[in-house]
Amino acid sequence: MLDRISYIRSAFRWEPRRRGASRVLLPNVVDTHSAASVSIATSMFEALDVPRDVDGPTTDAGAALEAGVQRLLDDHLNEIDPLREWHVERYRSISTYEQYAHLERLNALIASNPTYRVEIGRDYTIAPDVVVGLRSRVDSERPLRLHAAVSCKWTIRSDRVQNIRHEAVLMIRHRRGRLPHIVAVTAEPLPSRIGAIARGTGEIDAVYHASLGALKDAVASGPWADQRDMLDELVEQHRLFDLGDLPRALAD
């Protein structure tokens, strides 16, 4: 498996958090109200040798994850298959890709007509966190085709689950042509929360964890039978993979 941690290491950070009446150093993925989250995340960070350096530069973990995933895919997709013209970007609107070009025309109509704005009343153009485009091998003049859309969520909360599903449903319903790969990447320590988006919903292909090996070890070493059962289910049913598997999955 390729070294994916080097791409996203800057996202991992211990930070002072309040627990009860005191402040303690905790991983920046924890939900302080969940003992399981604190325990599993702490074990993960220790296994990954995340330094307890709170005096270093502050990092937006979500942005660092997105940038790391972009670099990971850009480097390794070109390495795995250099014959294809890969375009890995962040926040590029899906309407600029071949399967969704009609959405730009639809948005122009909505913007120009008050009646349409009232009746339709929504923006169909979305810009996923990381997108992978491919150039046609037989016609270089055609627009890029959207090959993959990657939603990066440092942690999983109910609003983030809904955001992932909303984007996925729009891409499924409104494409004209081949459906792109739709995946999510997270560092969430609680398998039960990962399951909220990963379990058999059909909107996404799979979820990729920033460090699945460390998560497995952390869950196995604690008294969290429900979390262990959920993690086993997600892995056995091929709903959860390690981030290091993502470039190969997209290239294949």
Side-chain angles (χ1 to χ4, degrees), residues 218-251:
V219 171
S221 65
W224 318 108
D226 56 336
Q227 300 296 335
R228 190 160 51 250
D229 290 345
M230 175 61 75
L231 184 59
D232 288 344
E233 174 191 324
L234 296 177
V235 172
E236 289 169 6
Q237 294 188 2
H238 306 294
R239 303 299 299 153
L240 180 64
F241 299 90
D242 188 86
L243 176 58
D245 297 324
L246 182 56
R248 176 65 64 180
L250 297 185

Side-chain angles (χ1 to χ4, degrees), residues 54-74:
V54 296
D55 296 323
T58 340
T59 303
D60 182 327
L65 178 63
E66 293 167 6
V69 169
Q70 180 191 8
R71 292 193 303 271
L72 174 80
L73 293 179
D74 198 27

Side-chain angles (χ1 to χ4, degrees), residues 18-156:
R18 182 167 295 281
R19 291 204 79 199
S22 58
R23 289 178 70 81
V24 294
L25 276 184
L26 291 174
N28 62 347
V29 294
V30 301
D31 176 354
T32 56
H33 300 291
S34 166
S37 176
V38 172
S39 173
I40 294 169
T42 299
S43 295
M44 281 174 50
F45 273 46
E46 289 173 347
L48 295 171
D49 293 322
V50 179
R52 286 177 165 83
D53 177 16
V54 296
D55 296 323
T58 340
T59 303
D60 182 327
L65 178 63
E66 293 167 6
V69 169
Q70 180 191 8
R71 292 193 303 271
L72 174 80
L73 293 179
D74 198 27
D75 286 351
H76 292 284
L77 287 173
N78 283 291
E79 180 181 276
I80 294 167
D81 189 349
L83 297 180
R84 284 194 275 184
E85 187 179 324
W86 302 97
H87 294 260
V88 185
E89 301 172 75
R90 292 168 66 190
Y91 312 136
R92 178 167 174 167
S93 170
I94 63 170
S95 65
T96 63
Y97 293 95
E98 186 177 53
Q99 306 102 300
Y100 300 98
H102 60 286
L103 295 183
E104 191 63 39
R105 298 190 294 272
L106 177 59
N107 279 323
L109 287 172
I110 293 172
S112 66
N113 190 307
T115 302
Y116 291 159
R117 286 201 297 272
V118 172
E119 295 297 326
I120 300 176
R122 63 188 303 173
D123 184 357
Y124 287 92
T125 300
I126 57 175
D129 298 324
V130 179
V131 285
V132 180
L134 273 177
R135 182 74 65 192
S136 170
R137 285 176 169 175
V138 296
D139 184 359
S140 61
E141 297 302 314
R142 287 171 62 180
L144 289 175
R145 174 167 52 84
L146 182 59
H147 181 72
V150 185
S151 182
C152 300
K153 305 300 178 193
W154 183 238
T155 57
I156 299 293

Side-chain angles (χ1 to χ4, degrees), residues 4-18:
R4 72 279 184 255
I5 292 299
S6 62
Y7 286 88
I8 58 174
R9 184 166 289 280
S10 64
F12 293 90
R13 184 174 174 81
W14 297 85
E15 58 187 17
R17 302 284 290 274
R18 182 167 295 281

Side-chain angles (χ1 to χ4, degrees), residues 156-185:
I156 299 293
R157 302 293 184 266
S158 59
D159 59 329
R160 293 166 193 167
V161 168
Q162 292 309 313
N163 178 262
I164 295 170
R165 285 187 173 144
H166 171 70
E167 289 191 353
V169 167
L170 284 179
M171 284 185 279
I172 291 168
R173 289 180 178 174
H174 296 291
R175 93 278 188 189
R176 292 183 179 175
R178 178 180 294 180
L179 182 68
H181 295 283
I182 303 173
V183 302
V185 174

